[in-house]
Amino acid sequence: MALAADPALDTLFLPMSSGALDWPAPGGTLFLRARAGVALNAARRHKPVCEQSFRPWADALERDGLAVSEANSGRFERVLVLAPRQRDESRALLARALAQLAPGGVVVACAANKEGARSMQDDLARLAGPVHALTKNHCRVCWTAPMDADQVDAALQAEWRALDGPRRIAEGRFLSRPGLFAWDRIDAASALLADSLPADLAGRGADLGAGFGYLASEVLARCPAVTGLDLYEAEARALALARENLAGARVPLGFHWHDVTRGLAERFDFIVSNPPFHQGRADEPGLGQAFIAAAAGALRAGGRLWLVANRHLPYEAALARGFTGVRTVREDAGFKVIEATKAGAA
């Protein structure tokens, strides 16, 4: 299957492919927020150490035979960064990249123009001094001079490294961090679903796309007959916070770093979900439809799915394929809450 175009990934490798930078010895490169793609496959002989906390992208790297982990602590001659859009998260990642350089190492960072490329370049220059830059594919790649520790603005580096650390939100109820979905607030769609949940949900349930654990927390507070709850989340940074936010829960919990679109191995009495519906800035109904299919496959006969979605998203056909008794429970502020029952006796 052909790999999808990834302009930022392609642009990131320009300094090496153009000869502006050499590759270090195999294993001497750390790639933060790595993504699989043609450009990375072409560089595989350099054996970059890839880090990725988003499970679908980590799985894609592993399928390509690349070494990948959630976190690395060593020092490297080259650190590559695909900078995220959220600025606090991006600044923290740049500061960390510099901290993981071996003496004389170089940081290379890239972002799409529409996702803050110029700000990313300015931020890297504030930390490390003048940088080189190239533009292509509506993206910008920039890189530092060979760096030693005393060339970095240490005070600013320490300040920025803390920017994506866990912090309290929602009047202190939850820990969250920049870069997660709706990281600094309770998402309106999730809040609507929580407010619509029936008190009679019972048995073992699952939260698909659990984030930092808000919806799971509401299920446990509102539904006293729940005896167990499993949280499925693709972003490891969110799942780690969900563990903390639900510490001391009254029922056994399971935490799964998992791509829900690949299906679920367990069986449940009920499932709740506010599924993702976009990739980048584009709506992608296929994501939510895949969540619905996974829920249909994982529910026991008579089990219930409680789902919230943007009102315009076309989920009805996917619901009809896997469920009976599909009904819209509530519509408000551009969202719809749906209950769907799995065919068969409970």
Side-chain angles (χ1 to χ4, degrees), residues 81-93:
V81 180
L82 282 175
R85 181 188 307 155
Q86 209 284 332
R87 195 165 189 185
D88 282 353
E89 184 188 11
S90 175
R91 283 176 162 176
L93 199 65

Side-chain angles (χ1 to χ4, degrees), residues 8 11-12 79-95 97-98 107-135 138-144 156 160:
T11 306
L12 177 68
V79 180
L80 310 181
V81 180
L82 282 175
R85 181 188 307 155
Q86 209 284 332
R87 195 165 189 185
D88 282 353
E89 184 188 11
S90 175
R91 283 176 162 176
L93 199 65
L94 293 175
L98 285 161
V107 168
V108 185
C110 184
N113 292 341
K114 65 182 181 182
E115 295 184 358
R118 185 67 208 212
S119 295
M120 178 271 298
Q121 178 180 333
D122 292 344
D123 286 343
L124 184 58
R126 283 186 64 187
L127 284 170
V131 298
H132 306 277
L134 291 170
T135 59
H138 304 289
C139 300
R140 180 180 296 265
V141 59
C142 53
W143 64 99
T144 68
L156 188 62
W160 283 7

Side-chain angles (χ1 to χ4, degrees), residues 27-96:
T29 300
L30 174 63
F31 188 178
L32 301 178
R33 303 294 165 85
R35 294 197 293 263
V38 173
L40 182 55
N41 281 340
R44 64 189 310 124
R45 68 184 182 278
H46 303 293
K47 299 187 182 301
V49 177
C50 298
E51 182 178 309
Q52 180 53 255
S53 60
F54 184 58
R55 190 58 189 256
W57 291 348
D59 288 345
L61 291 163
E62 289 178 347
R63 286 194 296 271
D64 281 353
L66 293 157
V68 59
S69 67
E70 293 176 54
N72 294 275
S73 58
R75 291 184 177 270
F76 298 82
E77 295 177 59
R78 194 81 74 249
V79 180
L80 310 181
V81 180
L82 282 175
R85 181 188 307 155
Q86 209 284 332
R87 195 165 189 185
D88 282 353
E89 184 188 11
S90 175
R91 283 176 162 176
L93 199 65
L94 293 175
R96 187 189 145 205

Side-chain angles (χ1 to χ4, degrees), residues 185-201:
R185 64 195 183 279
I186 302 303
D187 169 61
S190 294
L192 182 65
L193 177 55
D195 191 53
S196 305
L197 290 174
D200 66 349
L201 288 180

